[in-house]
């Protein structure tokens, strides 16, 4: 990848498409409209391209890889037909299809369009971890910036999410130091991965339970409530708690160690879209883009990140959403409404069920009391 002659590089992040063989037309319309409107130089897919646990993939048998390839090809069509290079990492659901991320990368994505990058040599059994140097626009061969993609893992046994793999942290440090050795200084870098780090809570505002707009957190932040910080933008949103790993293995500390990483962008939590700063790193969420899974209704979208060759850390970012690109009506509004209000996880479902049972108990008690009074 090279900066363009005008010194810019336009990156589009697409995350949590989470599609099935019967792909939603709304998903396809959003992806086509976004790519057509922005014409990015690079598209980065940050995981959960497919709903690996979906019942519609079961029973396919030996043809499973072929079926996944068909779905991915359709989702990537707006990029492939325009000859736009793309990079891909994986989320917690991709591998649940029964095909490893490594095999998906080489047997599916590498055979479709211009999929750039090669898996990290030290992590051969994994998939979705590598880096992409961005070179100067003047053909000097000078590395100006760098993109890291990390495979952030999958669901943990017993609930929650796996700790971030310490081997990826060590690989990052080696790559960071090698880039410095080759170029004489640390290279300004941006990270893309699926699952957020625990430090994402540090860019939110902890509030009391009954604060307007307060979002309840679970597991490592059980019984805590949060809102966006006071300085958030009007188009930013926090509609669910960041779903972070059960254990913090030090990823953020490593990224912050030498000042090379200026931003991290994730997906995973479909109804969140914001950017906050903690210490020296911007921590950004991008909302989901798929309509066959829960999401922010017509605020589903993609994120644009525009790097500047003179100072990559002084980047521009914004989102493009379904309502502005396609329209304010979806093809299945009732289903979409149900998915918006449905609990995002088992943890979120438990208090909703208890509340519902409490309401039912109260109604029954009122009926019994009324009968006695009559």
């Amino acid at each position: 990848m090279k900066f363009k002659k005008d010194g810019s590089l336009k990156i589009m992040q697409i995350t949590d498409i989470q599609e099935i063989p019967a792909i939603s037309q709304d998903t396809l319309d959003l992806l086509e409209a976004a790519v057509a409107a922005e014409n990015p130089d690079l598209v980065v897919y940050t995981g959960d391209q497919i709903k690996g646990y979906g019942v519609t993939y079961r029973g396919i048998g030996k043809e499973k890889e072929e079926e996944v390839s068909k779905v991915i090809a359709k989702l990537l069509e707006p990029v492939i037909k325009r000859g736009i290079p793309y990079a891909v990492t994986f989320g917690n659901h991709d591998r649940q299809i029964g095909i490893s991320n490594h095999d998906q990368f080489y047997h599916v994505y590498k055979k479709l369009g211009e999929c750039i990058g090669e898996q990290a040599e030290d992590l051969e059994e994994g998939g979705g971890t590598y880096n992409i140097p961005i070179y100067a626009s003047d053909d000097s061969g000078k590395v100006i910036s760098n993109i890291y993609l990390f495979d952030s893992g999958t669901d943990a046994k017993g609930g929650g999410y796996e700790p971030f793999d310490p081997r990826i942290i060590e690989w990052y440090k080696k790559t960071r130091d090698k880039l410095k050795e080759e170029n004489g200084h640390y290279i300004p870098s941006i990270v893309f991965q699926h699952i957020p780090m625990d430090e994402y809570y540090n860019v939110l505002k902890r509030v009391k339970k009954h604060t307007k707009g307060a979002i309840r957190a679970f597991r490592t932040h059980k019984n805590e409530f949060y809102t966006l910080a006071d300085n958030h933008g009007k188009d930013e949103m926090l509609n669910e708690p960041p779903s972070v790993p059960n254990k913090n293995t030090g990823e953020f500390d490593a990224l912050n160690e030498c000042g090379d990483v200026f931003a991290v962008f994730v997906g995973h939590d479909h109804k969140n879209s914001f950017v906050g700063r903690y210490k020296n790193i911007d921590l950004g969420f991008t909302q989901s883009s798929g309509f066959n899974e829960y999401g922010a209704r017509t605020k589903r979208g993609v994120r644009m990140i525009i790097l500047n060759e003179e100072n990559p850390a002084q980047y521009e970012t914004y989102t493009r959403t379904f309502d502005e690109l396609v329209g304010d009506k979806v093809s299945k509004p009732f289903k979409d409404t149900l998915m918006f209000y449905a609990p995002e996880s088992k943890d979120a479902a438990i208090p909703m069920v208890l509340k519902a049972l409490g309401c039912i108990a109260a109604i029954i008690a009122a009926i019994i009391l009324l009968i006695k009074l009559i």
Side-chain angles (χ1 to χ4, degrees):
M1 295 300 303
K2 290 171 52 179
F3 282 95
K4 293 184 295 188
K5 294 300 182 181
D6 65 0
S8 70
L9 184 80
K10 183 185 284 191
I11 302 170
M12 175 181 288
Q13 181 197 3
I14 300 176
T15 192
D16 295 89
I17 309 173
Q18 250 187 74
E19 272 296 350
I20 60 177
I23 302 173
S24 167
Q25 187 60 47
D26 292 331
T27 299
L28 297 176
D29 289 345
L30 171 58
L31 298 179
E32 172 62 30
V35 175
E38 290 292 339
N39 191 30
D41 303 305
L42 173 68
V43 175
V44 178
Y45 296 91
T46 54
D48 283 5
Q49 282 76 241
I50 57 173
K51 188 188 291 189
Y53 62 90
V55 295
T56 51
Y57 284 110
R58 296 178 184 176
I60 297 176
K62 295 181 180 179
E63 294 77 33
K64 189 176 290 183
E65 195 170 282
E66 181 180 346
E67 186 64 38
V68 170
S69 296
K70 290 179 181 178
V71 173
I72 296 300
K74 193 68 176 176
L75 297 176
L76 267 57
E77 185 177 342
V79 170
I80 294 173
K81 70 182 182 182
R82 291 176 172 85
I84 299 171
Y86 71 92
V88 60
T89 189
F90 300 95
N92 52 307
H93 293 314
D94 295 285
R95 72 189 72 186
Q96 292 172 346
I97 189 69
I99 306 171
S100 70
N101 291 346
H102 177 276
D103 286 351
Q104 287 188 50
F105 186 85
Y106 285 108
H107 299 174
V108 178
Y109 291 95
K110 275 295 186 179
K111 295 180 179 180
L112 296 170
E114 193 176 345
C115 178
I116 63 175
E118 296 293 340
Q119 299 298 297
E121 293 181 2
D122 299 342
L123 302 163
E124 291 182 358
E125 77 283 6
T129 297
Y130 52 104
N131 73 298
I132 303 169
I134 306 174
Y135 295 90
S137 60
D138 61 5
D139 297 326
S140 63
K142 183 179 180 181
V143 177
I144 302 298
S145 190
N146 179 64
I147 297 171
Y148 289 105
L149 292 98
F150 296 151
D151 184 342
S152 55
T154 188
D155 299 351
K157 294 180 180 179
Y161 304 97
E162 291 179 337
F164 190 83
D165 192 337
R167 295 177 304 166
I168 295 179
I169 297 176
E170 292 306 311
W171 172 84
Y172 152 71
K173 289 181 178 180
K174 290 179 183 178
T175 306
R176 172 196 68 193
D177 294 343
K178 182 180 179 182
L179 285 169
K180 180 188 178 185
E181 181 181 346
E182 293 172 346
N183 295 278
H185 58 87
Y186 288 115
I187 300 299
S189 300
I190 185 170
V191 172
F192 290 99
Q193 64 187 57
H194 185 73
I195 297 175
M197 300 172 283
D198 188 72
E199 283 76 10
Y200 269 74
Y201 278 95
N202 293 329
V203 303
L204 301 177
K205 181 179 180 180
R206 189 172 175 182
V207 298
K208 294 182 179 180
K209 179 178 180 179
H210 298 293
T211 302
K212 183 180 179 180
I215 298 298
R216 181 178 183 173
F218 305 97
R219 294 191 174 274
T220 54
H221 293 269
K222 185 178 180 180
N223 296 325
E224 297 175 359
F225 293 82
Y226 293 87
T227 63
L228 288 173
D230 295 333
N231 61 348
H232 68 87
K234 65 180 180 65
D235 294 326
E236 296 187 319
M237 55 187 179
L238 175 72
N239 289 313
E240 58 181 301
S243 299
V244 301
N246 298 342
K247 179 182 177 182
N248 190 336
T249 53
E251 180 192 1
F252 180 88
D253 291 338
L255 299 180
N256 193 51
E257 191 174 51
C258 298
D260 57 313
V261 173
F262 58 83
V264 179
F265 285 93
V266 302
H268 190 50
D269 297 311
H270 301 190
K271 297 187 289 186
N272 292 341
S273 180
F274 62 83
V275 183
R277 190 166 184 81
Y278 178 58
K279 294 187 176 179
N280 298 312
I281 300 179
D282 289 343
L283 301 179
F285 255 114
T286 298
Q287 67 267 52
S288 65
S289 59
F291 281 80
N292 262 323
E293 186 50 75
Y294 85 91
R297 310 189 79 177
T298 59
K299 292 300 181 183
R300 288 177 174 87
V302 305
R303 179 172 293 279
M304 301 305 305
I305 299 164
I306 304 176
L307 302 183
N308 186 307
E309 185 173 11
E310 293 186 2
N311 189 351
Q314 295 296 315
Y315 65 95
E316 177 187 358
T317 185
Y318 54 89
T319 58
R320 299 301 303 272
T321 56
F322 184 90
D323 56 359
E324 65 171 319
L325 292 169
V326 182
D328 58 4
K329 293 182 180 180
V330 298
S331 58
K332 297 180 180 179
F334 181 69
K335 176 185 176 182
D336 195 54
T337 300
L338 288 179
M339 289 195 296
F340 179 80
Y341 289 106
E344 302 88 15
S345 65
K346 293 179 181 178
D347 294 314
I350 291 172
M352 291 180 69
V353 170
L354 292 176
K355 186 176 181 180
L357 291 175
C359 292
I360 293 171
I363 292 171
I364 293 173
I367 293 172
I368 292 172
L369 179 61
L370 182 61
I371 291 173
K372 287 182 178 181
L373 291 174
I374 294 173

